[in-house]
Amino acid sequence: MVELRQSLEQRQRLTPQQILQTVLLQLNTLDLEDRIMEELENNPVLEMEESEAEEPESSDKGDQDEGVDWGDLVNSPEDYRIRTRYDKGQEHREMPIPYRPDPIDRLLEQIRLLDITGEERRIAEEIAWNIDERGYLASDVEIIADRLSVSPEKVEEILHTVQRLDPPGLGARSLQECLRVQLEVNSRSDLTLEIVTHRFEDFANRRFEKLRRGLGCSREELNEAMDIISRLNPKPGEGAPTSSADYIVPDLIVEEVDGELVVSVNDSNVPVLRLSPVYINLLETEDGADPDLRRFLRKKVGSAHWFMQAVQQRQMTMLKVMKAIMTRQPDFFRGDTSALKPMVLKDIADRINMDISTVSRVTRGKYVQTPYGLYELKYFFSERITTETGDEVSTKIVKDGLKEVVEKEDKQHPYSDDKLAEIMKKLGYPIARRTVAKYRDQMKIPVARLRRRP
């Protein structure tokens, strides 16, 4: 038997405005530009303000969720400007970048100049298009042969030629083959070729004594051979020329003005939004306006109003978080970049009375330009450890100390993780061996066996 029941419960749900603010908050400057352009395409009521003349400051209007005065909105478009100290009127120049083809383009150009048959050229081009971003062949020879209806031996023959074009090693199937091709092209010594061709496992695992006995060479000869091999390129496909897309665009700028540090949002390329006077006038027309059209415009104006408020709220939140970071890290922003204090997201969230998730969205993937360099906002956050003297220091300082110890070690007898933990304790940082291993992995420092030199 069907039974009807009535229950009362409380649920917390995000409003569409809150969801929009959350989405915009986690975007960096470049993504925000794309999101604004998308909104301009989808909402006819929104348009870009052509004039970049600076408007006088106005007070906050506050939330207008209940009832919107369309006349006030259109008559005061400056209320929705994104204002910072950044001078939008200054000329923005991009550094001209000469065209340089990437490794695959250069390889294809060289293939076109080879004195080979049409079929061989087709095989060579197929090989080139199957090379991954590291420079290695990403497809089996048999698959390429089957795809082109040729013998695997023919593909191997053409691959041998392609691998010896510039840069040498492009199209290799393993690190060993990549290094061997580079040594062959550059006519290196027989010793280096012997190491890479027949004793690669001993080389990769730093078994220097076994290498010396097997090769019958002196320590100096082995050192010279290892130095030559270490200068080879293990990823010949990388190293494409820098383009404008490779630059990091800071989301915030901290600069010194009249002896004081001032923080601003880098909005030089962010469009200034306003409500279209044409559609607002149409909405305010009492007679002759179609009811469906008025309903559509009212919905779009409300959406535009929420969007512009969300963009402004994003700016205000980012400024609050950055100012709080500067307050918590005074020594760093006075110029002592090594004096970074322990700080977690909760410290900033408590200071500005916001949720930790909000601070996390602001700091994730965003950068600040300071007088001392460009830093990701996450850089300023680190855990803390207690030293032998009872002081609390940032884990970044501990990592820097660990890195310095490793750099100064005897490379013939590198320190184990246990030894590193012992040395760090003597320096006043009581950390366990597993903590040393964790920090070492985070800094991409190999284990002692792989740091060893002959």
Side-chain angles (χ1 to χ4, degrees):
M1 181 177 177
V2 178
E3 182 180 359
L4 296 178
R5 290 185 179 180
Q6 188 176 30
S7 61
L8 181 65
E9 61 180 8
Q10 281 187 327
R11 291 185 180 180
Q12 188 176 21
R13 292 184 177 179
L14 293 176
T15 64
Q17 297 95 314
Q18 290 173 320
I19 295 174
L20 179 61
Q21 288 178 358
T22 300
V23 170
L24 295 187
L25 192 60
Q26 60 192 12
L27 300 180
N28 59 31
T29 299
L30 295 178
D31 291 336
L32 177 64
E33 292 176 35
D34 293 338
R35 181 65 179 85
I36 289 177
M37 297 307 296
E38 179 184 342
E39 191 69 20
L40 285 168
E41 292 178 2
N42 296 331
N43 193 338
V45 175
L46 269 181
E47 65 180 23
M48 286 190 292
E49 177 70 53
E50 297 296 334
S51 173
E52 294 185 353
E54 189 157 347
E55 303 275 346
E57 294 285 343
S58 62
S59 58
D60 293 334
K61 295 292 184 181
D63 292 336
Q64 300 182 15
D65 296 336
E66 297 295 329
V68 179
D69 190 333
W70 313 119
D72 287 346
L73 288 178
V74 70
N75 293 326
S76 302
E78 68 275 9
D79 289 346
Y80 300 96
R81 288 181 181 274
I82 307 171
R83 294 187 204 82
T84 67
R85 294 177 178 266
Y86 195 92
D87 182 10
K88 288 193 172 193
Q90 67 183 4
E91 184 179 359
H92 178 69
R93 297 181 180 179
E94 292 187 358
M95 183 68 68
I97 300 174
Y99 168 73
R100 294 189 182 94
D102 63 25
I104 303 302
D105 290 333
R106 293 200 303 270
L107 185 62
L108 290 170
E109 289 178 2
Q110 295 174 76
I111 290 173
R112 296 186 189 103
L113 298 175
L114 290 175
D115 185 16
I116 53 179
T117 66
E119 180 184 71
E120 291 172 338
R121 196 181 315 279
R122 193 160 53 95
I123 297 172
E125 290 176 350
E126 184 69 20
I127 291 172
W129 289 120
N130 280 277
I131 294 175
D132 62 21
E133 63 278 0
R134 299 177 305 145
Y136 288 83
L137 188 64
S139 180
D140 292 334
V141 167
E142 290 76 12
I143 293 177
I144 295 176
D146 182 66
R147 189 180 302 150
L148 299 178
S149 300
V150 297
S151 66
E153 292 76 18
K154 188 64 176 178
V155 177
E156 284 280 0
E157 177 187 340
I158 301 301
L159 178 60
H160 182 274
T161 301
V162 170
Q163 289 175 346
R164 282 150 182 81
L165 297 177
D166 185 49
L170 205 61
R173 288 159 290 187
S174 65
L175 175 60
Q176 181 180 10
E177 185 178 41
C178 178
L179 300 180
R180 178 171 53 80
V181 170
Q182 293 179 56
L183 291 171
E184 290 176 355
V185 170
N186 295 317
S187 301
R188 293 299 185 180
S189 65
D190 293 338
L191 182 60
T192 55
L193 276 171
E194 176 68 19
I195 292 173
V196 171
T197 305
H198 299 111
R199 300 183 180 276
F200 189 74
E201 286 298 320
D202 291 335
F203 159 74
N205 290 283
R206 299 295 195 269
R207 300 171 187 149
F208 299 119
E209 295 302 323
K210 188 174 180 180
L211 277 173
R212 285 179 55 199
R213 290 195 301 269
L215 296 169
C217 63
S218 65
R219 184 183 298 275
E220 290 73 19
E221 290 173 330
L222 182 59
N223 277 332
E224 183 180 353
M226 295 295 292
D227 183 59
I228 292 173
I229 297 173
S230 66
R231 281 182 275 154
L232 300 177
N233 187 1
K235 298 178 181 180
E238 294 185 348
T242 301
S243 67
S244 57
D246 297 320
Y247 296 123
I248 295 175
V249 178
D251 303 274
L252 293 154
I253 297 175
V254 176
E255 53 190 345
E256 189 172 347
V257 178
D258 297 330
E260 294 185 2
L261 290 178
V262 177
V263 58
S264 59
V265 177
N266 181 18
D267 61 349
S268 57
N269 293 323
V270 175
V272 178
L273 301 177
R274 71 172 185 179
L275 298 175
S276 172
V278 175
Y279 288 106
I280 295 298
N281 290 336
L282 185 61
L283 184 63
E284 291 180 333
T285 302
E286 296 294 338
D287 301 324
D290 182 73
D292 292 335
L293 176 60
R294 291 174 61 84
R295 193 177 305 111
F296 171 79
L297 290 178
R298 191 175 291 110
K299 179 181 177 181
K300 290 298 182 181
V301 170
S303 176
H305 174 63
W306 294 342
F307 186 81
M308 290 188 290
Q309 278 192 335
V311 173
Q312 276 195 319
Q313 186 63 43
R314 172 186 179 276
Q315 179 200 47
M316 294 168 57
T317 304
M318 289 176 63
L319 289 174
K320 279 185 180 180
V321 170
M322 191 64 230
K323 289 177 180 178
I325 291 174
M326 293 170 65
T327 302
R328 288 279 302 186
Q329 303 287 357
D331 295 334
F332 179 94
F333 287 96
R334 290 193 192 106
D336 188 0
T337 55
S338 62
L340 204 61
K341 293 184 177 179
M343 183 176 71
V344 293
L345 295 175
K346 189 176 185 301
D347 296 330
I348 299 299
D350 291 343
R351 179 174 287 273
I352 61 178
N353 296 319
M354 288 187 177
D355 193 80
I356 294 178
S357 61
T358 302
V359 178
S360 177
R361 290 188 181 95
V362 171
T363 55
R364 187 184 303 123
K366 296 185 180 66
Y367 291 80
V368 57
Q369 177 67 55
T370 73
Y372 322 109
L374 184 68
Y375 295 91
E376 188 177 8
L377 293 187
K378 287 288 188 183
Y379 173 83
F380 300 101
F381 295 87
S382 63
E383 298 292 337
R384 66 197 73 195
I385 69 166
T386 304
T387 64
E388 294 282 356
T389 59
D391 298 326
E392 289 186 341
V393 297
S394 167
T395 54
K396 282 187 170 60
I397 295 177
V398 180
K399 289 179 183 179
D400 290 342
L402 178 61
K403 184 178 180 181
E404 185 177 353
V405 170
V406 172
E407 288 175 348
K408 293 181 178 179
E409 70 183 355
D410 180 3
K411 296 305 178 183
Q412 292 186 5
H413 305 284
Y415 297 132
S416 65
D417 288 347
D418 286 319
K419 183 63 176 179
L420 288 173
E422 181 182 335
I423 294 174
M424 293 301 291
K425 185 175 182 181
K426 291 179 180 178
L427 294 175
Y429 305 120
I431 55 177
R433 185 204 62 81
R434 63 179 179 275
T435 306
V436 169
K438 181 178 76 171
Y439 290 169
R440 182 175 49 71
D441 289 340
Q442 290 173 352
M443 293 186 291
K444 301 189 184 307
I445 298 175
V447 296
R449 175 174 55 82
L450 297 180
R451 298 199 308 271
R452 187 170 171 239
R453 296 289 182 270

